[in-house]
């Protein structure tokens, strides 16, 4: 979907048809997007009823990452896998399934999906979401992960749905990033943002600061310098937001800029942070890059990283390009001593 060629208010199905008319190779990808969007509408109805529909936060089993599955995690996983079963999808890598799931052998596409992102927000009426990345399926009976080992650049499309005050689908088919909002009266998504363009610089960061004592020195230094604001080496005051829901934080960054960090830290099991490469970091990274923003693990471009496991984690930094590059400088050791140097960050020394 080329930027500028889409009309605000158009229905998702019309926009997908237009994309396929322009590039017939997108036919299957568009069918998968439509299937996920359909499942998202039904998930949004469940979430919209809140506690009227029962306790969506009720604990069930455990997923492979050791997280307790809540009732809504399980419902969302069922809804998306049912929808993908009826689409041209050979395999699914879901947060809520230990192994890659085989759906339609021989079908052309594979989907990595986080059916319900932001699980800690379930049951308290806060935003949650669904994240997905669509890739070509690679048939290799000896390697069940074959469809998912290519770097994120192999993704044909990526997106997420936010179930917030409005239900929104943020989508890229590799030509810009668009937002569609669910028109509840009609039961259809309509285009609201034909081309997102993330501001290059920003004054807002998002990180779970309760982990500060576990952070590595570059992250500590970056955040300390943000906190020092106009009195420190960054020379500007920052605001902070943390929603505990990656999709909601990502949507804010896409709409008004900023930087999000979930770094690795020294807690047991958190050396690579908390977020998963295949169904969280890689789709978000494609959406960011297609909107003019960046996504790294601190230093390396997320889209260049190859997965070696379904639920592999990766440190994640994304958002306004200047901020993402600034974080990389702290990792490179070029900035992170600066905040503590008597020559930096003091009015009248390195700055006028
Ligand atoms: O509770 P923490 O450590 O701040 O982690 C919050 C992060 O974890 C997540 O909830 C992980 O996703 P899931 O809920 O899909 O496991 C992100 O949405 C969010 O950004
Ligand atoms: Mg998640
Ligand atoms: Mg999840």
């Amino acid at each position: 979907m080329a930027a500028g060629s889409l009309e605000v208010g158009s229905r998702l199905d019309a926009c997908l048809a237009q994309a396929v008319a322009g590039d017939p190779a997108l036919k299957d990808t568009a069918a998968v997007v439509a299937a996920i969007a359909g499942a998202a509408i039904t998930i949004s109805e469940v979430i919209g009823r809140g506690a009227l529909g029962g306790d969506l936060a009720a604990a069930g089993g455990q997923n492979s990452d050791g997280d307790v599955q809540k009732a809504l995690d399980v419902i969302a996983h069922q809804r998306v896998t049912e929808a993908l079963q009826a689409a041209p999808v050979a395999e699914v890598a879901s947060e809520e399934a230990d192994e890659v799931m085989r759906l339609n052998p021989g079908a052309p596409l594979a989907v990595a999906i986080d059916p319900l992102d932001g699980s800690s927000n379930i049951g308290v009426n806060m935003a949650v979401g669904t994240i997905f990345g669509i890739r070509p399926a690679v048939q290799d009976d000896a390697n069940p992960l074959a469809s998912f080992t290519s770097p994120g650049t192999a993704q044909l499309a990526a997106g997420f749905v936010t179930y917030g005050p409005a239900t929104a689908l943020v989508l890229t088919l590799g030509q810009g990033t668009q937002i569609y909002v669910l028109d509840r009266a009609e039961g259809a998504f309509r285009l609201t943002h034909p081309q997102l363009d993330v501001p290059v610089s920003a004054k807002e960061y998002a990180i779970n600061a309760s982990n500060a004592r576990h952070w590595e020195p570059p992250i500590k230094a970056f955040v300390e310098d943000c906190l020092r604001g106009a009195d420190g080496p960054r020379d500007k005051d920052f605001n902070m937001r943390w929603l505990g829901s990656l999709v909601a934080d990502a949507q804010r960054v896409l709409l008004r800029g900023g930087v999000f960090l979930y770094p690795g830290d020294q807690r047991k099991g958190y050396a690579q942070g908390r977020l998963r490469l295949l169904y969280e970091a890689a789709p978000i990274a494609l959406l960011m890059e297609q909107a003019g923003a960046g996504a790294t693990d601190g230093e390396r471009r997320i889209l260049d990283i190859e997965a070696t496991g379904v639920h592999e984690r990766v440190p994640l930094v994304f958002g306004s390009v200047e901020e993402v590059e600034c974080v990389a400088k702290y990792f490179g050791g070029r900035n992170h001593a600066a905040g503590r140097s008597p020559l930096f960050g003091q009015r009248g020394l390195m700055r006028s």
Side-chain angles (χ1 to χ4, degrees):
M1 280 185 259
S5 64
L6 298 170
E7 227 175 281
V8 170
S10 302
R11 285 172 57 130
L12 174 65
D13 48 7
C15 293
L16 291 173
Q18 190 179 326
V20 174
D23 179 2
L26 283 173
K27 183 167 171 279
D28 293 321
T29 305
V32 174
V33 170
I36 294 171
I41 292 173
T42 75
I43 295 169
S44 140
E45 283 160 4
V46 173
I47 293 169
R49 282 181 55 74
L52 294 174
D55 182 4
L56 296 177
Q62 252 193 4
N63 68 22
S64 55
D65 224 22
D67 290 341
V68 171
Q69 285 176 318
K70 297 181 175 170
L72 186 58
D73 286 313
V74 177
I75 293 170
H77 173 74
Q78 282 165 351
R79 299 284 169 99
V80 294
T81 46
E82 270 165 32
L84 293 175
Q85 181 81 59
V89 173
E91 290 163 337
V92 174
S94 166
E95 182 188 357
E96 306 307 334
D98 291 350
E99 311 288 344
V100 170
M101 302 165 66
R102 292 246 155 110
L103 296 190
N104 301 296
L109 298 175
V111 176
I113 194 156
D114 178 355
L116 203 290
D117 177 63
S119 292
S120 67
N121 286 346
I122 299 173
V124 292
N125 200 20
M126 284 176 63
V128 291
T130 297
I131 312 174
F132 60 93
I134 303 173
R135 297 163 176 256
V138 177
Q139 207 168 343
D140 178 354
D141 291 339
N143 178 11
L145 200 63
S147 299
F148 299 99
T149 49
S150 307
T153 46
Q155 292 173 112
L156 303 167
F160 62 76
V161 178
T162 43
Y163 310 104
T167 291
L169 168 67
V170 183
L171 178 68
T172 180
L173 298 181
Q175 288 192 32
T177 297
Q178 293 84 39
I179 302 184
Y180 299 81
V181 169
L182 177 62
D183 182 338
R184 293 184 198 278
E186 207 183 350
F189 284 98
R190 284 190 180 276
L191 184 67
T192 55
H193 297 72
Q195 176 55 58
L196 295 177
D197 190 8
V198 177
V200 170
S201 65
K203 296 177 168 184
E204 202 161 57
Y205 69 98
I207 192 165
N208 184 340
S210 69
N211 299 319
R213 70 188 187 284
H214 305 295
W215 292 337
E216 301 293 346
I219 296 294
K220 271 190 181 152
F222 174 80
V223 175
E224 269 174 40
D225 287 348
C226 290
L227 289 170
R228 291 172 65 193
D231 299 328
R234 298 301 312 278
D235 217 2
K236 57 183 179 182
D237 290 332
F238 283 81
N239 188 22
M240 200 209 78
R241 285 285 180 276
W242 181 255
L243 300 174
S245 166
L246 173 61
V247 285
D249 278 316
Q251 187 159 351
R252 184 192 62 252
V253 167
L254 284 166
L255 285 169
R256 70 177 190 210
V259 61
F260 172 103
L261 305 96
Y262 207 125
D265 64 50
Q266 289 170 351
R267 285 174 295 162
K268 193 165 180 283
Y270 279 78
Q272 299 301 312
R274 173 175 169 78
L275 301 172
R276 280 58 56 104
L277 175 58
L278 281 178
Y279 46 78
E280 292 178 319
I284 298 275
L286 189 60
L287 291 161
M288 288 292 153
E289 289 202 5
Q290 288 292 321
T296 69
D297 68 352
E299 296 172 285
R300 287 181 304 167
R301 183 185 180 215
I302 290 289
L303 291 179
D304 288 337
I305 301 175
E306 296 174 6
T308 54
V310 187
H311 304 289
E312 177 175 330
R313 296 182 180 200
V314 69
L316 182 57
V317 176
F318 65 76
S320 296
V321 167
E322 278 182 9
E323 289 306 312
V324 174
E325 284 174 355
C326 182
V327 173
K329 285 186 188 151
Y330 281 73
F331 273 95
R334 293 195 290 284
N335 270 18
H336 85 80
R340 274 136 298 283
S341 161
L343 291 178
F344 285 80
Q346 308 288 328
R347 284 199 184 280
L349 287 177
M350 294 308 282
R351 301 168 27 213
S352 54

